[in-house]
Amino acid sequence: MATSTPSKPVTTLDEATVRFCGDSGDGMQLAGTQFTNTSALLGNDVATFPDFPAEIRAPRGTKAGVSGFQIHFSSNEIFTPGDTVDALVAMNPAALATNLSDLRAGGILLVNKDAFEKKGLEQAGYASDPTEGDGLEKYKLHSVEMTKLTRLAVEGFGLSVKEADRCRNFFAMGLVFWLYDRSLDPTLRFIEQKFGKRPEVAKANTSALKAGYHYGETVEAINTQYHVGPAKLPSGTYRNIMGNTALAWGLLAAAQRSGKRLFLGAYPITPASDVLHELSKHKNFDVLTFQAEDEIAAVTATIGAAFAGEMAVTASSGPGIALKGEALGLAVMTELPMVVINVQRGGPSTGLPTKTEQSDLFQAMYGRNGECPMPILAASSPGDCFDVAQEAWRIAVRFMTPVMILSDGYLANGSEPWRIPDLSELPSVDVEHPGPSLNGDEFMPYDRDERLARPWAIPGTPGLMHRLGGLEKQDGTGNVCYDPDNHEQMCKTRAQKVANVADDVPLQELDGPDSGDLLVLSWGGTYGACATAVHQTQGAGKKVSHCHLRYLNPFPKNFEKILRSFDKVMIPELNLGQLSVMVRSEFLIDTIGLTKVQGKPFSVAEIVDKINEVLG
Amino acid sequence: MSIDSPLPVLKPADFASDQDVRWCPGCGDYSILAQMKKMLPTLGTPQENIVFISGIGCSSRFPYYMNTYGMHSIHGRAPAVATGLKTCRPDLQVWVITGDGDGLSIGGNHLMHAIRRNMDLNIVLFNNRIYGLTKGQYSPTSPLGKKTKSSPMGAIDNPLHPLSIAIGCEATFVARSIDTNIKHLGNILKRGAEHQGTAFIEVYQNCNVFNDGAWEYAKSRDTKAETTLELEHGKPLIFGKDRQKGIRLNGLDPEVVELGKGITEDDLLFHDERSPEPSLAYLLSRMRNEDGFPEPIGVFRSVDKPRYDEQTNDQIDQATKERGKGDLETLFRSGETWKVA
Ligand SMILES: Cc1ncc(C[n+]2csc(CCOP(=O)(O)OP(=O)(O)O)c2C)c(N)n1
Ligand code: SF4
Ligand SMILES: [Mg+2]
């Protein structure tokens, strides 16, 4: 169905932010995803922020059970899901109570009026119906009887009341689609695909969707439609991609481009499980996914797979990475290439499983016994997860080392338009295994090349039989060795090898002038908020530049020079200042921290405010 | 090696690495190592296709002494390391060497899961009923009342019985042997190697430093005929110096009976290692010397079941057959896409 001729005035906007929120059973994630895909197809740049409770079904109607999905869409390039929302859809009182503070003054508020009955209001802590009294006049409030209208729309398809009510999110979608002048076609195609096998459900959802759309067209109270045109992104073919999908696809690409089968050892954990799910779908890419009995088995099986000569990967989140700690030491000691993924979540302990945080940087750097360094890379956006996965594997192979990737819940579940790369653009990784040795010469498994990497000899190769293990190795032969000087030399060699990675990665880039009053230094998933904040303050004439790190260990070679070129260094982090500690201890340079551990990403305003405060 | 050169005939010495063996003199591990080196050449598998993976413990030093591929991994995790290796490389013959502490305490979880997946691994558990490497604490197989450094008043943890655990996980091959019973041990190792799927072998091993004599009853010339029973497939369970005793079923329980006096071989329990149900094997695993039974040695169970390593690779073949070889371009363009000029 094409967008009908507008019967109401259309206002064109540069950008807008919409949030759907409701009970976790209300289908808000689906609504958000559909709105995102539709906007992306329309050519908008989009950034999303899904936010859901840790419980699968918290008690219905409670604040604990509220699930939300925020979409920022724009005709310009954008990097964040938006600080405040322009339109809020609240499916019940609990959703209104927990989300209203993010709606900007003058914003559009669409509520499902039918849910504002006694019990729902009580659960949300409202003494009286907020949609009736004063208090919401700051907003453009539209109380819509969504339950009733949806039931009417699906009448005659033979659905139970419960089933009919499940179509309500489609009604809400239809209405918001009309409001922002979006086509229904992608969602209609989705309904066909998803519910094709149950025609009555497909018809009902279609009908609810269209009813919502027509409601917008006809109801007089809603008097303006908004239009956000396509963004001028670099030319190419695009799709929308989520961080975990991009990570999985990056691994697939890396395996193919290095001529390896891909082995993933994993144990389910939020928010990393989708990497396991996605790769499990693609066995025809020569992918072996092993759902282990625990994270220790996942990582040790990964070590076995690396020994076997395949591209070996293990993926988890903080608690699982903690369990993997001892085995990661074995991986460092055996100097086998593998990729270790930590999709970070709020900690410590079980912490905030569904919320984002960057508090595992220390764990990645220092969280193992002994002198046990490994390269660490962090992804900066959902799409960047694709590139980081390939880069991690490249480094792992070239340096014969485990490489840690830090992603986070925000990147994992967030999505953005992704320019589909040409296969020829993808890096290829040359993997070498020494061939058979038939002359009886002793094989030296810990012989080293100019990077200090040792040979990756794999079982099945005649003449190269050797034994690996966690006991200290003699340099060269790899035999067990307790010699004090050898141990010190080996510790230093392993450290130097990781340090050598800096020679093999690009120099650090800077967004803004090479020197100035303030450097905003960030890493990982905070990229979007920091970049946007720096652009804003640069626009206001501040001498501020932005440095966003992908390589956290080792730091890029020119990093210190960059740090010393600014009067002040400010580090926004979703932890209590871990990168700050690293920078201070390595360079003796003072830093100004902006830290946050609320399970939520930074807003742009928080960073702008801090920049202004620091610059006085 | 080139394909047309004849396969070299390997000798036990070819399987010895250049490393000095560092177990205590008199340790039962030496004998197991010797039997392994003697047995492997009889399989005809090239050295480079054999891998030994171990955990941590005296027993787990084993791979260093074998001129094959190997990994001395971390405490308890050898079955998981081997699982990753074998999953990727079903062409390799993979051995897991573990101890009673390594396999049943810290690594119990991995052992259980490797077995239930029927990974094609040969797992040899050196049971010395003690923590050897850490100098003599009681282990999960130490008997009740065992006095050690960490149990001066006697162990109060009910012991585990390795074979009962393996059979509980429905291991497809389960066997027991004794370090000094060298011919028997060699045969059992060979049968384990030939089995497809998880072969779980418990070896009674003497730690002469921290738990000397733990298996004396089963090893001594004077007592072993009465305290052990050699299992033979299809044969009645007979034991004793003059082979005058047997095991008979009394209801669901085994009992020791004297042959003669109206009891013939036909009244005895017959061993069936191929029984699809693990109940008989389990019953045998519960026969204990301390309860007045001879302890069976030999193959308790040997059945054929699908293997994880084979099936997971089959799934790749099946997916590739159904959907074609994975193509990145097609994957990236699946779902909704749009063009920006
Ligand atoms: C994580 C960890 N915890 C503890 C140890 C110490 N440790 C080494 S071997 C061992 C027990 C070994 O007992 P067993 O498996 O019976 O082997 P044995 O030495 O008797 O052959 C222990 C507790 C370790 N190496 N790693
Ligand atoms: S401590 Fe015991 S098990 Fe370990 S090597 Fe010595 S005798 Fe053998
Ligand atoms: Mg032991």
Side-chain angles (χ1 to χ4, degrees), chain A residues 40-41 43 186 189 233-240 249 252-253 256 261 263 281-294 296-297 300-301 303-305 307-308 310 326-327 330 334 336 386 417-418 420-423 426 438 442 458-462 464-471 473 479-480 482, chain B residues 1-2 17-19 22 47-51 53 56 61 63-75 77 80-92 106 109-111 113-114 116-117 119 308 312-313 315-316 319-320 323-329 331-341:
Chain A
L41 281 174
R189 286 198 292 272
L233 298 174
S235 67
T237 304
Y238 282 76
R239 64 168 299 128
N240 209 41
W249 289 8
L252 287 178
Q256 268 206 358
R261 300 209 297 171
F263 177 93
K281 286 199 291 210
H282 301 301
K283 292 192 189 290
N284 59 328
F285 281 78
D286 255 347
V287 174
L288 292 155
T289 51
F290 171 58
Q291 181 174 313
E293 55 271 22
D294 62 22
I296 301 173
T300 45
I303 292 171
F307 189 35
E310 301 297 5
E326 185 198 9
L330 178 66
T334 53
L336 286 166
F386 179 79
W418 180 61
I420 297 174
D422 218 53
L423 290 196
L426 301 181
L438 302 176
E442 192 191 353
I458 57 176
T461 318
L464 303 189
M465 282 81 73
H466 63 284
R467 275 67 53 192
L468 298 174
L471 284 173
K473 303 270 156 281
N479 290 329
V480 174
Y482 302 108
Chain B
M1 75 195 66
S2 70
S17 77
D18 59 353
Q19 297 298 292
R22 297 207 188 179
Q47 280 157 289
E48 63 268 16
N49 289 347
I50 299 175
V51 189
I53 309 280
I56 299 289
R61 295 295 172 95
Y64 289 124
Y65 309 135
M66 297 296 302
N67 188 21
T68 62
Y69 284 89
M71 190 189 290
H72 176 223
S73 76
I74 47 175
H75 201 15
R77 320 302 174 192
V81 175
T83 293
L85 174 67
K86 182 73 186 181
T87 299
C88 292
R89 296 286 302 278
D91 59 308
L92 301 171
I106 193 167
N109 193 28
H110 309 306
L111 187 71
H113 286 277
R116 66 131 173 152
R117 293 186 183 108
M119 292 295 310
Y308 181 96
T312 189
N313 283 285
Q315 284 192 340
I316 292 186
T320 310
R323 286 178 264 158
K325 188 140 189 64
D327 176 55
L328 291 170
E329 194 98 36
L331 174 68
F332 295 166
R333 284 163 201 277
S334 61
E336 309 261 6
T337 64
W338 69 98
K339 275 203 161 61
V340 174

Side-chain angles (χ1 to χ4, degrees), chain A residues 326, chain B residues 56-59 75 99-102 106 128 130-134:
Chain A
E326 185 198 9
Chain B
I56 299 289
C58 294
S59 36
H75 201 15
D100 41 325
D102 190 67
I106 193 167
N128 55 13
I130 202 82
Y131 284 1
L133 191 70
T134 47

Side-chain angles (χ1 to χ4, degrees), chain A residues 326-360:
Chain A
E326 185 198 9
L328 292 178
L330 178 66
V332 165
M333 203 72 160
T334 53
E335 303 190 43
L336 286 166
M338 70 197 73
V339 176
V340 182
I341 297 170
N342 180 354
V343 185
Q344 300 165 95
R345 64 190 217 180
S349 189
T350 309
L352 301 173
T354 60
K355 308 290 174 187
T356 198
E357 213 162 273
Q358 296 183 302
S359 45
D360 297 344

Side-chain angles (χ1 to χ4, degrees), chain B residues 120-327:
Chain B
D120 188 13
L121 304 172
N122 310 316
I123 305 175
V124 188
L125 186 145
F126 295 19
N127 187 3
N128 55 13
R129 311 189 86 173
I130 202 82
Y131 284 1
L133 191 70
T134 47
K135 306 199 169 159
Q137 301 84 0
Y138 67 104
S139 90
T141 57
S142 298
L144 280 174
K146 176 81 185 169
K147 288 193 173 148
T148 70
K149 274 181 214 160
S150 58
S151 57
M153 297 173 70
I156 51 176
D157 315 28
N158 204 32
L160 290 175
H161 298 275
L163 296 192
S164 296
I165 302 261
I167 295 162
C169 303
E170 299 184 31
T172 54
F173 181 94
V174 179
R176 177 188 285 151
S177 191
I178 300 175
D179 55 6
T180 44
N181 196 344
I182 55 179
K183 220 169 138 202
H184 186 264
L185 176 58
N187 283 335
I188 292 296
L189 291 175
K190 188 172 165 94
R191 287 232 20 216
E194 286 164 350
H195 175 73
Q196 300 202 318
T198 306
F200 183 85
I201 301 169
E202 175 191 22
V203 183
Y204 286 178
Q205 175 243 326
N206 191 37
C207 168
N208 55 308
V209 172
F210 294 111
N211 202 16
D212 196 24
W215 304 112
E216 197 49 31
Y217 65 88
K219 290 159 69 117
S220 147
R221 252 174 220 291
D222 303 336
T223 52
K224 68 179 179 190
E226 301 295 326
T227 57
T228 63
L229 185 160
E230 205 166 321
L231 296 170
E232 282 180 90
H233 178 62
K235 300 271 173 63
L237 300 187
I238 296 179
F239 68 106
K241 240 199 318 270
D242 311 314
R243 296 188 62 76
Q244 81 290 17
K245 291 188 206 166
I247 302 293
R248 183 173 73 176
L249 262 195
N250 180 0
L252 289 175
D253 299 320
E255 62 180 358
V256 174
V257 291
E258 295 265 349
L259 287 170
K261 300 179 197 154
I263 299 176
T264 70
E265 287 193 5
D266 285 344
D267 297 319
L268 299 181
L269 186 56
F270 278 65
H271 184 43
D272 177 8
E273 63 187 38
R274 295 186 204 129
S275 168
E277 276 302 312
S279 328
L280 170 63
Y282 187 71
L283 177 145
L284 295 174
S285 78
R286 291 191 53 82
M287 285 169 40
R288 315 250 160 85
N289 180 52
E290 70 213 41
D291 298 331
F293 286 101
E295 297 188 351
I297 61 172
V299 176
F300 286 55
R301 175 169 158 87
S302 175
V303 297
D304 201 27
K305 289 249 176 89
R307 308 184 293 280
Y308 181 96
D309 44 290
E310 178 188 55
Q311 287 188 302
T312 189
N313 283 285
D314 286 352
Q315 284 192 340
I316 292 186
D317 295 344
Q318 189 193 336
T320 310
K321 209 151 109 203
E322 284 168 12
R323 286 178 264 158
K325 188 140 189 64
D327 176 55

